[in-house]
Amino acid sequence: MATIYIDNKPYDVAAGKNLLEACLTLGLDVPYFCYHPAMGSIGACRQCAVKVYRDENDTKGKLFMSCMEQVRDGMRVSVADMEAKEFRAHVIGWLMTNHPHDCAVCDEGGACHLQDMTVMTGHNYRQYSFEKRTYRNQYLGPFLNHEMNRCIQCYRCVRYYKDYAGGKDLDVFAAHNHLYFGRHEDGVLESEFSGNLAEVCPTGVFTDKTLKQHYTRKWDLTSAPSICHHCSLGCNITAGERYGTLRNITNRYNGEVNGYFLCDRGRFGYEHVNSISRIRKPLVRSKLPEASDKYTALQAAASALKAGRAIGIGSPRASLESNYVLRTLVGEDNFHHGVSDMDHDLVDLSLRILQEGAARTPSLKEVEKADAVFILGEDLTNTAPMLALAVRQAVRQEPLLEQVSKANIPVWQDAAVRELVQADKGPLFIAASNETKLDELATQTYFASPEAIARLGYAVANHICLDCPSVEGLKEAEQQLAGQIAEALMAAKNPLIISGTHCGNERVLRAASNIANALCAREKAAGIVLTVPECNSMGLAMLGGHRLESALDAVLNGYADTAIILENNLYRRAGETTVNDFFKACKQVIVLDHLHNATTETAGILLPAGPFSESDGTLINNEGRAQRFYQVHPSAEDVQESWRWLSELGTIMANEEISNWHGYDDIVRAIVIELPAFRGIEAVAPTSEFRIAGQKIARASHRISGRTSMLADSNVSEPKPAEDPDSPLSYTMEGYRGQPPSSLIPFFWSPGWNSNQATNKYQQEVGGHLKGGDPGVRLIKPANTGVFSMAVPQDFLPLEDHLFILPLYHTFGSEELSMYSPPIMERAPEPYVALNAADAIRLKLEDGQPLHFTIAGQTYNLPVKTSTHIPSGTAGLPVGLPSVPFAELPAWAILNRNLKWKKQPQTTF
């Protein structure tokens, strides 16, 4: 710690920080633009000037940019010095010479960092009265709107997009006072993280185009803390609503998970909530054409359950509470996981590895600190985008430790650090079946079949610890690569192994586990990260349940005749013929969901469930972190949470346990009592009875406008606001205005800080943890009771007239819910099959020509995309695209034409 004096008051601050960070951490208001906690300082805007004195006898001092000045013990500083204040006001004046007077129509108006800083510096009147510089704006795709005339040349956008996120197609052009930040020509921004520009930009140059289509002032949004439902990482989000419509998703800072950023799927995939495919009313088909109501639907469902033998099919995209209530309703023996059998086995294996292994799963923030990374079988950018972004930061760790620290340069001196490091990167090794966007950062890449990737992993583990099995038949180059990877992991202080379920191979997971356990056996602080398919896949595995295949067999063989399906489209989990036979054999099908799909069309009874924005619940992410999401606004009369529908159904059926529940908190308590694995979820968030000074926490800003006129078309009297019995949040602007517990923060706002930069007021220190701790509770701890896997797989061999079809994933297109959002649909690829270039030549196929093949009786006819990386004898099929039929992959496909295969090399370096 260092003691510094700011305007003659002593403060204890962390040594080594820059002065701006120290001032902001202390709660002082120092204006800034170019600085960002995640990206460091470059001193470009000159807005954060303060007066620094040599000692207590110095009365004159000098102006310094606080973001570029390192804290030192005994430092004397003045923020309130008149010369410093005048300098800051002049800087704003210079920045505003070309800025348009368009706050009234700007999407950032009222939530703009530039507005905040202008007021903070006292720049009240414009003195520039000449013509302003103007630019032509660009089309940047479906996510972002571009208004270059608002630019103040802070460089944040290109620093984030190029340096932090690794984008290639946005840059700064021209020079001096004519800088242009954009693409070399109009076109869609290619990065999967481009949407963060809307929050990184301190003005309105880059704004959320989906919000612009709704056009709502940000202060008029009703907001609630939530969790992204579009992958397994559990990124924290803030969901904003107006007039019963979800209007936008913004980042909700969590110092352990997503920090300041989101991927574009998480930010723009929310429109499924507003989709025309929403289920708004209960439906009992036997009552048609009469419209069904809530009571009729519940009575019909209860009668069906009493009359038949019921099974329940859960869902990895439904909350823990909803799955648990379904499990309680139908009984533990009749509860089935609503996932493919392969996903069921792989997620269960992932859970056992994390529970029984020796290595701990690091958070995303800790992943950024890893100094050697080995990725087995995962295309992270497409399966877990924010994990890929964390790996991009991890490759900088070794140069930072080896070069920057020795040069005595603070790591926050971003320009100096990057100038010193240049293109140097730490060790990153990727073993995958096709190219990935992280390949450009890799020390070595290895393209092979999942079996070959697993064999390489087993060999690496054997190099680290001889207790691991050796691998016979490896090529010399593979042996050398295994040794190189092992050596790099052993030399690192924080080695990290990343794998997951998406390659569809159990041996790849076991190989990753072997490596992590071998490192721990050599007393290395190794970490292991395993991605899983969906937002609550890990929670569903921890809850326990039977395979989907057993559910289908129970009905097809007459052991059950009624099925309750929870927020799940079974046609995405099993083959069409199998699912059709299952539904034909069902006496009654009860479905709870919020979107119409092929499964809801088969339902005899359909109950409209609330989506994430109209529900409360808990999700367990891939690391075992339990996190709570909250209802943003009251739902329509006939729409409610799945767990509430099921609870009411259980009460009607006189289920003794369910009848004793009187709300959300009772369900959480029941989970904790019955299932020890979930002990701790009661501490994820305060109970519904929590109050501060007797008040709930307001979901709406005190600046919200027009509440009394929202319903004036039907009633000029202001109705009583809806009440929320399940949380300590109110649906109105009335409530506690201080800082609530971190899990209950509905939006970041502080006096004078109306933009998202207000986050610094909620942190223990800038860029660190939130005050009171970051949201979430870790439920999984490694027990170090596992043993090394000894079953080394055989190498892959092609089959004549067959292709081994591997799953391919896309950030935009593979995830079910986000594909209901028009901007995401626009970015999704057309269906295709990826084929090895040499195989395409032997098949006499060129790009775009159709390939005919059959998997498990399902025929496919898809255009070819050739690849030089996918192994010979294999092909890649995109997962989840709407017009691509389901296939449980990997799987052998029969070619519908003769092809005499010759054994080809299976690896590419």
Side-chain angles (χ1 to χ4, degrees):
M1 297 295 287
T3 300
I4 64 173
Y5 298 85
I6 302 177
D7 292 315
N8 296 319
K9 292 183 180 180
Y11 297 93
D12 290 330
V13 299
K17 296 283 187 179
N18 69 54
L19 183 56
L20 176 60
E21 282 186 29
C23 290
L24 293 174
T25 298
L26 292 170
L28 302 175
D29 290 339
V30 178
Y32 63 91
F33 286 116
C34 64
Y35 166 78
H36 190 282
M39 298 183 286
S41 307
I42 59 170
C45 70
R46 303 303 194 208
Q47 186 57 70
C48 62
V50 297
K51 186 68 76 69
V52 178
Y53 302 91
R54 289 194 303 272
D55 52 41
E56 64 273 16
N57 298 319
D58 183 4
T59 59
K60 188 174 181 180
K62 289 185 178 181
L63 288 176
F64 282 81
M65 302 309 117
S66 59
C67 73
M68 300 297 287
E69 188 68 12
Q70 188 169 1
V71 166
R72 58 184 181 275
D73 194 41
M75 173 183 276
R76 290 186 172 270
V77 179
S78 176
V79 175
D81 177 80
M82 188 54 65
E83 185 181 1
K85 291 176 68 175
E86 289 178 356
F87 183 87
R88 295 195 294 263
H90 282 304
V91 170
I92 279 283
W94 301 329
L95 294 176
M96 297 295 286
T97 54
N98 288 295
H99 193 82
H101 298 214
D102 67 344
C103 295
V105 297
C106 177
D107 294 343
E108 288 296 298
C112 174
H113 186 58
L114 176 60
Q115 285 179 329
D116 290 344
M117 299 300 98
T118 303
V119 173
M120 191 178 294
T121 56
H123 180 74
N124 299 323
Y125 298 96
R126 303 208 178 185
Q127 299 174 343
Y128 183 78
S129 58
F130 304 99
E131 287 188 1
K132 292 180 178 289
R133 175 203 59 213
T134 58
Y135 293 106
R136 183 185 67 84
N137 301 317
Q138 289 184 319
Y139 169 76
L140 298 177
F143 297 150
L144 291 174
N145 190 64
H146 188 232
E147 180 55 74
M148 185 56 208
N149 293 322
R150 298 170 183 155
C151 181
I152 59 169
Q153 303 170 9
C154 71
Y155 287 88
R156 270 196 190 183
C157 57
V158 293
R159 292 179 60 219
Y160 162 75
Y161 194 87
K162 293 177 60 180
D163 298 341
Y164 192 93
K168 301 291 190 299
D169 59 324
L170 182 133
D171 214 327
V172 54
F173 302 94
H176 304 302
N177 198 34
H178 297 279
L179 296 178
Y180 190 91
F181 295 86
R183 300 182 84 253
H184 69 288
E185 62 180 4
D186 285 21
V188 177
L189 287 172
E190 297 170 2
S191 173
E192 291 80 4
F193 310 100
S194 64
N196 292 306
L197 292 171
E199 292 190 38
V200 166
C201 177
T203 72
V205 177
F206 300 97
T207 53
D208 183 341
K209 186 176 284 189
T210 64
L211 177 63
K212 189 180 186 69
Q213 291 167 354
H214 297 298
Y215 195 72
T216 298
R217 288 301 191 187
K218 293 182 181 180
W219 68 74
D220 282 337
L221 293 173
T222 297
S223 303
S226 193
I227 305 297
C228 180
H229 280 55
H230 299 307
C231 83
S232 65
L233 298 182
C235 293
N236 287 211
I237 59 174
T238 295
E241 171 270 346
R242 180 76 165 172
Y243 292 113
T245 303
L246 197 61
R247 300 297 175 95
N248 78 331
I249 295 293
T250 54
N251 177 71
R252 181 165 64 100
Y253 181 86
N254 185 316
E256 285 292 334
V257 188
N258 50 300
Y260 290 94
F261 304 121
L262 294 172
C263 77
D264 287 351
R265 184 168 69 196
R267 185 180 295 275
F268 301 111
Y270 68 89
E271 291 280 10
H272 65 91
V273 172
N274 307 322
S275 172
I276 59 173
S277 298
R278 277 288 302 276
I279 303 169
R280 304 286 183 179
K281 289 283 186 181
L283 172 68
V284 179
R285 293 193 191 275
S286 63
K287 301 289 184 180
L288 293 177
E290 296 178 7
S292 302
D293 58 27
K294 177 180 175 181
Y295 178 78
T296 303
L298 283 170
Q299 289 292 340
S303 298
L305 291 176
K306 291 176 182 177
R309 293 158 293 172
I311 58 170
I313 299 178
S315 171
R317 62 174 168 88
S319 69
L320 176 64
E321 292 79 5
S322 295
N323 279 291
Y324 175 75
V325 179
L326 176 59
R327 178 179 182 267
T328 305
L329 181 65
V330 299
E332 182 180 351
D333 292 338
N334 298 316
F335 178 71
H336 304 262
H337 289 184
V339 299
S340 71
D341 291 340
M342 184 172 294
D343 279 351
H344 183 280
D345 294 341
L346 292 175
V347 176
D348 273 1
L349 175 59
S350 299
L351 177 60
R352 292 199 305 273
I353 288 172
L354 298 186
Q355 290 175 330
E356 300 172 2
R360 175 180 172 275
T361 299
S363 67
L364 285 181
K365 190 66 175 179
E366 292 169 325
V367 167
E368 295 180 0
K369 304 301 180 184
D371 51 352
V373 181
F374 183 25
I375 302 172
L376 295 90
E378 286 290 310
D379 179 3
L380 295 182
T381 305
N382 288 310
T383 60
M386 286 300 295
L387 181 56
L389 191 62
V391 170
R392 285 189 175 274
Q393 315 321 310
V395 298
R396 301 184 64 211
Q397 289 306 302
E398 187 187 63
L400 289 177
L401 294 171
E402 295 297 322
Q403 300 180 45
V404 175
S405 60
K406 290 180 180 178
N408 201 28
I409 299 174
V411 293
W412 45 262
Q413 281 268 19
D414 193 59
V417 167
R418 293 188 184 277
E419 182 66 24
L420 177 63
V421 172
Q422 299 286 331
D424 290 350
K425 299 177 181 67
L428 168 63
F429 299 92
I430 300 176
S433 297
N434 205 0
E435 60 185 334
T436 77
K437 282 200 169 184
L438 290 177
D439 293 346
E440 62 183 6
L441 304 176
T443 308
Q444 286 280 3
T445 54
Y446 176 80
F447 300 104
S449 66
E451 289 82 2
I453 291 171
R455 286 167 59 82
L456 176 67
Y458 277 90
V460 171
N462 177 256
H463 274 280
I464 296 170
C465 179
L466 293 178
D467 291 339
C468 296
S470 60
V471 181
E472 304 297 330
L474 284 182
K475 300 180 180 65
E476 182 179 351
E478 293 171 326
Q479 287 282 12
Q480 291 177 352
L481 178 60
Q484 182 186 0
I485 296 171
E487 183 179 344
L489 294 173
M490 284 298 297
K493 295 180 179 179
N494 298 300
L496 177 64
I497 311 303
I498 299 176
S499 188
T501 64
H502 293 88
C503 67
N505 190 288
E506 173 187 321
R507 293 299 170 189
V508 172
L509 283 170
R510 294 190 183 276
S513 175
N514 270 12
I515 299 170
N517 290 336
L519 288 167
C520 291
R522 295 289 301 274
E523 299 184 350
K524 302 297 294 184
I528 183 169
V529 175
L530 302 178
T531 66
V532 291
E534 296 180 59
C535 61
N536 204 26
S537 292
M538 192 62 75
L540 192 61
M542 293 173 67
L543 186 63
H546 302 292
R547 299 156 68 94
L548 178 60
E549 181 182 18
S550 64
L552 303 179
D553 289 344
V555 171
L556 292 172
N557 294 324
Y559 299 114
D561 55 19
T562 301
I564 309 179
I565 302 171
L566 171 65
E567 299 183 32
N568 210 328
N569 182 2
L570 297 190
Y571 288 94
R572 291 178 64 94
R573 313 295 184 181
E576 181 179 2
T577 301
T578 302
V579 177
N580 284 340
D581 292 343
F582 167 76
F583 284 132
K584 288 176 183 177
C586 279
K587 179 180 177 181
Q588 184 64 270
V589 177
I590 305 168
V591 176
L592 299 91
D593 214 332
H594 48 84
L595 291 167
H596 285 288
N597 53 51
T599 294
T600 64
E601 294 303 310
T602 69
I605 302 171
L606 182 59
L607 304 178
F612 79 95
S613 62
E614 299 173 32
S615 303
D616 296 276
T618 303
L619 300 179
I620 315 294
N621 77 348
N622 68 307
E623 58 174 312
R625 184 185 300 270
Q627 299 183 107
R628 176 87 180 266
F629 61 94
Y630 289 91
Q631 192 168 347
V632 184
H633 62 98
S635 57
E637 181 180 353
D638 291 321
V639 177
Q640 57 186 13
E641 299 99 326
S642 293
W643 55 261
R644 195 181 301 278
W645 279 113
L646 294 167
S647 296
E648 293 180 358
L649 186 55
T651 301
I652 293 173
M653 295 179 63
N655 182 293
E656 184 176 351
E657 184 175 359
I658 293 178
S659 297
N660 291 326
W661 298 339
H662 300 290
Y664 178 86
D665 293 337
D666 290 336
I667 298 174
V668 172
R669 280 190 284 268
I671 294 173
V672 173
I673 292 171
E674 182 180 349
L675 302 170
F678 293 105
R679 287 175 184 167
I681 64 169
E682 71 278 7
V684 168
T687 68
S688 59
E689 301 300 320
F690 177 81
R691 301 290 186 275
I692 302 178
Q695 301 179 84
K696 284 193 166 192
I697 291 93
R699 283 179 170 92
S701 162
H702 67 285
R703 302 184 297 158
I704 193 170
S705 60
R707 189 180 75 184
T708 56
S709 64
M710 283 184 180
L711 303 176
D713 59 328
S714 58
N715 190 344
V716 295
S717 300
E718 182 182 357
K720 178 184 177 182
E723 295 183 2
D724 185 356
D726 301 311
S727 81
L729 299 171
S730 74
Y731 287 119
T732 68
M733 61 184 286
E734 287 80 24
Y736 180 68
R737 287 292 164 200
Q739 289 195 12
S742 59
S743 60
L744 295 176
I745 299 172
F747 49 83
F748 292 107
W749 180 90
S750 185
W753 297 81
N754 298 291
S755 73
N756 61 353
Q757 311 296 316
T759 303
N760 74 78
K761 297 293 185 180
Y762 291 75
Q763 296 167 325
Q764 296 174 10
E765 62 176 9
V766 173
H769 301 291
L770 291 172
K771 293 176 181 177
D774 295 304
V777 173
R778 292 282 290 261
L779 302 179
I780 299 176
K781 295 181 180 179
N784 197 14
T785 58
V787 296
F788 291 119
S789 171
M790 306 303 288
V792 180
Q794 297 296 314
D795 202 357
F796 169 76
L797 289 175
L799 292 181
E800 184 176 346
D801 296 335
H802 288 70
L803 284 171
F804 191 58
I805 306 297
L806 304 174
L808 298 180
Y809 293 85
H810 292 273
T811 306
F812 311 116
S814 292
E815 197 274 328
E816 179 182 5
L817 297 181
S818 61
M819 275 300 285
Y820 286 85
S821 295
I824 299 293
M825 293 175 62
E826 189 174 328
R827 293 291 306 275
E830 294 295 324
Y832 69 95
V833 58
L835 188 63
N836 177 276
D839 292 347
I841 293 173
R842 287 196 296 278
L843 284 166
K844 298 180 181 179
L845 291 173
E846 297 179 356
D847 277 4
Q849 292 183 325
L851 176 67
H852 306 272
F853 57 95
T854 302
I855 303 174
Q858 173 68 53
T859 300
Y860 296 79
N861 183 17
L862 296 171
V864 164
K865 278 188 180 180
T866 57
S867 168
T868 57
H869 297 102
I870 199 165
S872 178
T874 73
L877 184 65
V879 171
L881 294 186
S883 53
V884 178
F886 169 85
E888 192 170 53
L889 303 177
W892 284 102
I894 302 172
L895 291 173
N896 295 349
R897 57 186 294 174
N898 291 326
L899 173 66
K900 301 299 182 183
W901 290 104
K902 295 181 180 179
K903 187 175 180 180
Q904 300 294 323
Q906 298 304 303
T907 58
T908 306
F909 294 89

